[in-house]
Amino acid sequence: MKILHINCNYIGTKLHRSMIEHLNLFGIESTVYTPVCEKENEDVTTQGCQVIVAKCFRKWHRIFFDYKQERIFRDIQSRLDCSGYDCLHAYTLFTDGNCARRLSRKYRIPYVVAVRDTDVNVFLKKAFYLRGRAVSILRDASAVFFLSEGYRKQVLETYVPERLRETIRAKSRVIPNGIDDFWLQNRNTDKLRDVPEILSENRSESLPDKKLRVICAGVINHRKNHLATQEALQLLRQQGWSVRYQIVGKVLDQKLFEKIMTYPDTEYIPQQPREKLLEYYRENDLFVMPSHTETFGLVYAEALSQGLPVIYTRGQGFDGQFEEGRVGYAVAADDPAEIAERIVDAAKRYRELTENCLQLADTFNWRDICEEYRDLYSVILTDTHPS
C-alpha cells in the first residue's frame, strides 16, 4: 500500500514523523510532500520514508489562495509520479486538502483529509469566500478525520449545508494524535502507591488539605490563556488554598509574560526536553490549560501518562476525548470562576482521576492509532477497487 502524505506542517514538529514511522511498521509505504515558503534548518529524516521539503511559494503568496495552490499543485507533479499512489492523505483541510482533491480528480486516486485548528479558527471563521471550497473538499473525500468531537460538531453544524451533514458525518472519524512512546514507556505508576485524596476526611500528611501544585506546559502567548488560569488560582487562594503554579515553555509574548509573573507563587521554567518535563509533571498534582483554541493538545495526553488530571477547554481539541469527569473537566476559557470550581472538583476525586489517567493514557498509543488508519486505508482501497 503506497500513501502520499501532503503535509504543510511536517517541519517544526516530531508529531507527524512519529505517525509515519509507526505506519511503516504496518507495511505502509509512505512518501511525505511538505510545501513550504522557506526551507528551515531542521532534520526531517523519517525512518522508512521519503520526505520532500518543497520551497514552492513565497510568503506573500499566502494572501492569494488559488495562486499559492497552483504553485503547489504544479510542484508536486514535477517531483512525483502521483499516479503511482493508492491513496492521498491531506493533513489540513485547506492547504493540503485542496491539493489532494485536485490530484484525486486528475489521477482518480481516493483521498482522506484532516481538519485542524487553523482550518476551523482561521480559514473557516474568517475566509468566508473559501467555505464553499472547504465543503467540496469534505464532500469528495473518502474519509474525514477530526482530532476531537468538538471540532467535528462545530464544522458540521456551522459550515456544512444541512443536505450534506449526514453524508460527511457518516464518513468522518475522531482519531486523536498519539504521544511519543517515551511517555507510555515511562508512565508514573508509582504515583498510585500512596496518592491520597487532596480533600479527604483523613487529611493526608503527604498532600495536605487545600494544598495544590499546578503545572502548564506550552508556549506563553494569548492562545494558551495563562491569565485566566492565574485568576482562577487567585480565587482559590482567597478561599484558603495554598497553590503553586509552574509554567514550562517558550515565551512568545514578553508583555503577557510579565503580567503573568506578577501573580504570587508562580515559577517560570524555560522550554525543556521531554526527560526534564517528565520530572516536572511528577512534581505536580494537576495540569491546567484552558486554551482559547486547540486542535488537540498533546500536552494533556502527556500529562495523563504521569497521572495528572487535566483541566481543558470546552469545545476545543481535548474536549470529547473522554466523558466529562473521567480524567478531568472541561471549562469555559473566559470563566476563571468555573476554572477554579473544576480544579476543586478534580481535587475532591483526585485518586480516582489519577487511576483513570494512567489507565487511559494508552488511548494515545501511536501503534493503535496507526492500525486504525491502516484499516481505514484498506477499506477505502477495497471500495475503490473491488475485486
Side-chain angles (χ1 to χ4, degrees):
M1 188 186 305
K2 295 182 65 176
I3 308 295
L4 174 56
H5 304 262
I6 306 172
N7 187 343
C8 62
N9 296 320
Y10 199 75
I11 292 179
T13 175
K14 294 181 180 179
L15 166 69
H16 296 136
R17 213 171 308 173
S18 294
M19 174 179 167
I20 297 298
E21 289 175 349
H22 280 82
L23 285 172
N24 184 50
L25 299 176
F26 289 100
I28 294 174
E29 186 178 342
S30 295
T31 300
V32 177
Y33 173 83
T34 179
V36 297
C37 61
E38 294 178 358
K39 286 189 177 179
E40 300 180 30
N41 295 321
E42 179 165 336
D43 180 19
V44 293
T45 302
T46 306
Q47 185 176 351
C49 172
Q50 178 188 12
V51 181
I52 298 170
V53 179
K55 184 181 178 182
C56 56
F57 61 90
R58 298 182 180 180
K59 285 186 177 181
W60 64 267
H61 292 161
R62 290 172 172 169
I63 63 176
F64 301 105
F65 182 81
D66 285 313
Y67 181 68
K68 172 188 168 183
Q69 282 292 309
E70 184 63 29
R71 293 180 69 93
I72 294 173
F73 185 65
R74 290 181 180 180
D75 184 81
I76 192 171
Q77 293 176 93
S78 71
R79 296 173 185 266
L80 295 167
D81 176 10
C82 297
S83 64
Y85 293 93
D86 299 308
C87 185
L88 310 171
H89 187 145
Y91 284 68
T92 63
L93 175 59
F94 285 89
T95 299
D96 302 331
N98 189 78
C99 180
R101 179 173 180 261
R102 292 185 66 184
L103 291 173
S104 174
R105 291 162 68 91
K106 181 174 181 177
Y107 296 100
R108 305 296 182 186
I109 306 169
Y111 72 94
V112 299
V113 64
V115 181
R116 300 186 181 276
D117 175 66
T118 301
D119 295 317
V120 177
N121 292 301
V122 177
F123 281 100
L124 282 172
K125 184 177 291 186
K126 300 178 181 179
F128 60 89
Y129 55 92
L130 291 175
R131 289 176 185 171
R133 186 85 56 90
V135 171
S136 296
I137 296 168
L138 294 171
R139 180 197 63 206
D140 294 346
S142 294
V144 180
F145 303 135
F146 293 90
L147 294 175
S148 72
E149 182 59 43
Y151 273 159
R152 176 161 67 174
K153 181 178 180 181
Q154 183 178 350
V155 170
L156 290 176
E157 295 182 0
T158 305
Y159 301 108
V160 174
E162 187 173 356
R163 60 185 173 81
L164 292 175
R165 283 177 193 165
E166 287 309 311
T167 298
I168 295 174
R169 186 191 305 276
K171 63 183 177 183
S172 69
R173 301 286 186 277
V174 175
I175 303 180
N177 284 326
I179 56 177
D180 194 291
D181 293 342
F182 168 85
W183 295 101
L184 298 176
Q185 292 166 357
N186 292 280
R187 230 176 310 204
N188 188 18
T189 54
D190 289 343
K191 188 169 185 179
L192 286 178
R193 277 190 308 200
D194 300 307
V195 65
E197 300 286 356
I198 295 178
L199 290 181
S200 66
E201 293 181 2
N202 296 328
R203 293 180 178 270
S204 163
E205 294 180 1
S206 61
L207 193 57
D209 198 7
K210 285 199 166 186
K211 187 173 183 179
L212 274 175
R213 299 168 298 176
V214 174
I215 189 171
C216 175
V219 295
I220 289 91
N221 62 6
H222 173 73
R223 187 165 69 91
K224 298 300 182 182
N225 203 23
H226 297 86
L227 280 179
T229 300
Q230 286 284 43
E231 292 174 14
L233 299 183
Q234 194 64 7
L235 289 174
L236 292 177
R237 293 185 184 103
Q238 292 169 5
Q239 297 169 22
W241 286 78
S242 173
V243 186
R244 184 195 71 184
Y245 185 36
Q246 280 188 337
I247 307 173
V248 183
K250 184 178 181 180
V251 177
L252 298 184
D253 187 326
Q254 185 62 36
K255 289 185 177 179
L256 177 63
F257 172 70
E258 292 171 2
K259 190 170 184 179
I260 291 168
M261 295 303 294
T262 61
Y263 287 80
D265 300 313
T266 301
E267 179 184 1
Y268 168 68
I269 301 161
Q271 187 175 3
Q272 298 291 312
R274 62 188 185 182
E275 292 79 8
K276 289 296 295 182
L277 182 57
L278 178 143
E279 294 177 12
Y280 286 116
Y281 281 153
R282 292 184 175 187
E283 294 173 2
N284 284 275
D285 305 312
L286 295 173
F287 184 95
V288 180
M289 191 173 77
S291 301
H292 287 294
T293 63
E294 198 79 64
T295 296
F296 174 68
L298 281 178
V299 285
Y300 300 110
E302 293 170 356
L304 295 190
S305 74
Q306 302 310 305
L308 296 186
V310 292
I311 305 297
Y312 47 90
T313 307
R314 186 176 298 111
Q316 291 299 317
F318 199 76
D319 188 21
Q321 299 295 329
F322 305 102
E323 61 187 57
E324 178 76 353
R326 193 82 185 276
V327 297
Y329 295 96
V331 296
D334 58 353
D335 190 344
E338 184 184 20
I339 296 170
E341 183 180 348
R342 291 295 172 256
I343 289 174
V344 173
D345 289 341
K348 290 177 179 177
R349 300 176 52 235
Y350 193 72
R351 182 177 180 84
E352 177 189 354
L353 292 182
T354 295
E355 291 177 344
N356 291 343
C357 290
L358 291 169
Q359 292 171 3
L360 293 170
D362 265 329
T363 303
F364 309 105
N365 184 323
W366 264 126
R367 185 175 180 84
D368 293 341
I369 291 169
C370 286
E371 185 175 12
E372 185 172 358
Y373 278 120
R374 189 274 312 273
D375 292 345
L376 283 169
Y377 293 152
S378 297
V379 170
I380 290 168
L381 295 186
T382 300
D383 291 344
T384 305
H385 306 289
S387 56

